[in-house]
Amino acid sequence: MPKALPDPVTLPISRENLVDPPDDLRRWREEGPIRPMLFADGHVGWLATGYTAVRAVLADPRFSTRSETLHPPIGQRLSQQALTRLPGFFLREDPPEHTRFRRLLTGQFTVRRMKELEPRIEKITSDRLAAMERIGPPADLVEAFALPIPSLVICELLGVPYDDHTMFQRESAAMLNLDSTLAEMQAALEGLVDYLHKLVVSKRTDPDDGLISGLVSTGQLTDEEITGAAVLLLIAGHETTANMLAFGTYVLLNNPSQLAALRDDPSLAEAAVEELLRYLSIVHIGPVRTATEDAEVEGQLIRAGESVTLSLSAANRDPERFEDPDTLDITRHAMGHVSFGHGIHQCLGQQLARIEMRIAYPALFQCFPDLRLAIPADKVSMRSNMAIYGVHRLPVTW
């Protein structure tokens, strides 16, 4: 007789501990790597919390990421129809469409190309630190350091004027805010699409050496497709790294022995970045995949049409993959984490994000060796209401 399935659960986002994933995720993972889940629209699908289960779904071509197949895991989410109608938003495409965009863009994000950006990233980082020194304490590390660095880098990479950063940061935040209404999310998306479409059109007559101009010059994409790709790259290129820089700093400031090790030995930066990516898992809602045909995952049959929410934070804390996973250890070999995803949809800009963090963390603590929080740690405003977890603000002094 088949084992009875547990009742469907809803995805938890509230945390008793500001850093650790919700306790329910750990408990459910201990009970089994995959279980029934109730989605926000009433769909009964699945929640994967085990490392092996999450990797298996991400690598399996029988699971789709197309917007029209997915069910929202929680609350109000950006209209799936809106993303479906946005050409070039290749995160929501399966092969062969996804492959077409990925091939065009992969050459722009090679390890060599990213390494060539290092001097510019170092200059941007030193400029932000100099500005912090000049203005003096206290400072909001998000506004002064964590957000400007990846925003400036992605703007230069794409060919987007940084002078417009206030607008695109505002619209990006509205799209990622779980409290935004569908109308507010739709308006934010339309604002970004309108802005970037005009920019794409302008590159046809006034090109530069940015990625958008590079895509225009290929002649293989329409203006609308380039615009959709630019929307995705612009949002992902600054939101994720900015939150890792700020949240990672928050965690290190609360782990003085780990911070001291990194400050005293900057060569630990590479390992520290991988461990922080694993330990924090800022993409704390989803991703979601939907089975296009019946598929078995870890002994559980997923039927065609059923969606699976993949908990990256639970997978990255799975003790079957990482020893003592709830302890931050910047000397750990944390490669193999799923913070950048896995399979064909693995984050295109992951090498850029890694370089930005490997440069920024040591530079910050070298410049301000006595950096500390300006408010109690439990008073820091966390981004529980955002699709990307982290801190809203990080008041620091030195």
Side-chain angles (χ1 to χ4, degrees):
M1 182 181 236
K3 182 180 177 182
L5 290 171
D7 292 335
V9 296
T10 56
L11 186 69
I13 58 172
S14 61
R15 306 184 178 207
E16 293 184 14
N17 181 300
L18 301 181
V19 173
D20 294 334
D23 289 343
D24 284 340
L25 291 176
R26 174 189 48 77
R27 178 167 54 83
W28 294 336
R29 188 189 58 228
E30 291 172 353
E31 294 172 358
I34 187 165
R35 65 185 298 126
M37 174 179 153
L38 179 64
F39 287 68
D41 59 0
H43 172 75
V44 177
W46 303 91
L47 172 64
T49 51
Y51 176 86
T52 302
V54 167
R55 293 249 307 186
V57 172
L58 288 172
D60 194 328
R62 294 174 295 178
F63 287 90
S64 174
T65 188
R66 288 184 63 82
S67 297
E68 63 267 28
T69 71
L70 306 181
H71 296 271
I74 64 168
Q76 296 271 25
R77 299 295 293 152
L78 182 60
S79 167
Q80 303 299 333
Q81 291 76 22
L83 290 180
T84 302
R85 292 195 302 266
L86 186 59
F89 200 87
F90 59 94
L91 182 67
R92 289 288 175 260
E93 294 285 357
D94 295 332
E97 272 298 286
H98 173 266
T99 308
R100 181 166 70 97
F101 285 96
R102 190 83 181 199
R103 282 175 178 165
L104 281 173
L105 288 162
T106 297
Q108 306 290 332
F109 287 91
T110 62
V111 173
R112 193 180 103 180
R113 177 92 188 270
M114 296 303 100
K115 290 283 288 182
E116 290 172 352
L117 290 173
E118 283 191 23
R120 181 60 185 143
I121 296 171
E122 289 171 350
K123 178 64 164 60
I124 289 171
T125 301
S126 65
D127 286 348
R128 298 313 306 176
L129 292 171
M132 286 178 63
E133 280 190 300
R134 186 169 61 253
I135 295 170
D140 172 13
L141 197 78
V142 173
E143 180 181 357
F145 184 77
L147 188 54
I149 291 172
S151 295
L152 277 159
V153 172
I154 196 64
C155 280
E156 292 189 10
L157 186 63
L158 293 178
V160 172
Y162 181 71
D163 288 347
D164 299 326
H165 71 279
T166 300
M167 180 278 296
F168 68 70
Q169 288 169 357
R170 180 187 67 243
E171 305 293 33
S172 298
M175 289 174 63
L176 295 171
N177 192 325
L178 303 178
D179 296 327
S180 295
T181 65
L182 287 178
E184 290 168 338
M185 291 181 179
Q186 184 73 31
L189 175 61
E190 290 174 356
L192 274 177
V193 168
D194 181 64
Y195 167 75
L196 287 168
H197 186 265
K198 290 176 181 174
L199 190 64
V200 170
V201 172
S202 73
K203 301 293 186 185
R204 291 203 174 274
T205 55
D206 187 20
D208 53 27
D209 59 357
L211 188 148
I212 291 176
S213 291
L215 291 177
V216 168
S217 69
T218 68
Q220 298 184 49
L221 299 176
T222 66
D223 287 353
E224 289 71 26
E225 288 174 328
I226 298 171
T227 298
V231 168
L232 173 58
L233 295 172
L234 184 60
I235 295 173
H238 79 272
E239 273 283 351
T240 50
T241 308
N243 279 284
M244 273 302 305
L245 286 174
F247 196 21
T249 299
Y250 170 81
V251 168
L252 287 169
L253 290 175
N254 285 288
N255 286 267
S257 63
Q258 298 291 298
L259 172 55
L262 177 59
R263 185 179 55 232
D264 296 343
D265 183 4
S267 70
L268 287 174
E270 183 173 350
V273 165
E274 298 306 319
E275 172 67 347
L276 287 167
L277 285 163
R278 179 201 71 82
Y279 186 73
L280 299 178
S281 304
I282 59 172
V283 178
H284 68 136
I285 299 170
V288 180
R289 298 288 187 267
T290 297
T292 58
E293 58 183 272
D294 291 359
E296 188 173 295
V297 178
E298 293 287 281
Q300 178 60 58
L301 177 64
I302 311 297
R303 296 198 179 277
E306 293 180 340
S307 284
V308 186
T309 294
L310 307 169
S311 176
L312 304 185
S313 53
N316 280 335
R317 297 288 190 96
D318 189 339
E320 292 192 9
R321 175 59 179 82
F322 299 101
E323 186 178 353
D324 194 16
D326 294 324
T327 296
L328 178 70
D329 178 5
I330 66 168
T331 66
R332 182 200 303 270
H333 180 71
M335 293 296 288
H337 62 74
V338 289
S339 296
F340 289 120
H342 179 62
I344 64 170
H345 290 284
Q346 194 169 164
C347 176
L348 185 66
Q350 61 181 285
Q351 297 307 329
L352 176 60
R354 284 183 164 110
I355 290 170
E356 289 173 330
M357 288 184 278
R358 289 171 188 169
I359 290 171
Y361 284 130
L364 173 66
F365 297 121
Q366 290 290 320
C367 185
F368 301 113
D370 59 345
L371 190 76
R372 58 193 182 276
L373 294 177
I375 61 174
D378 61 356
K379 299 300 182 183
V380 173
S381 176
M382 309 304 291
R383 288 169 52 105
S384 298
N385 65 328
M386 306 293 285
I388 306 296
Y389 192 67
V391 299
H392 283 294
R393 291 166 296 282
L394 191 65
V396 293
T397 189
W398 55 90

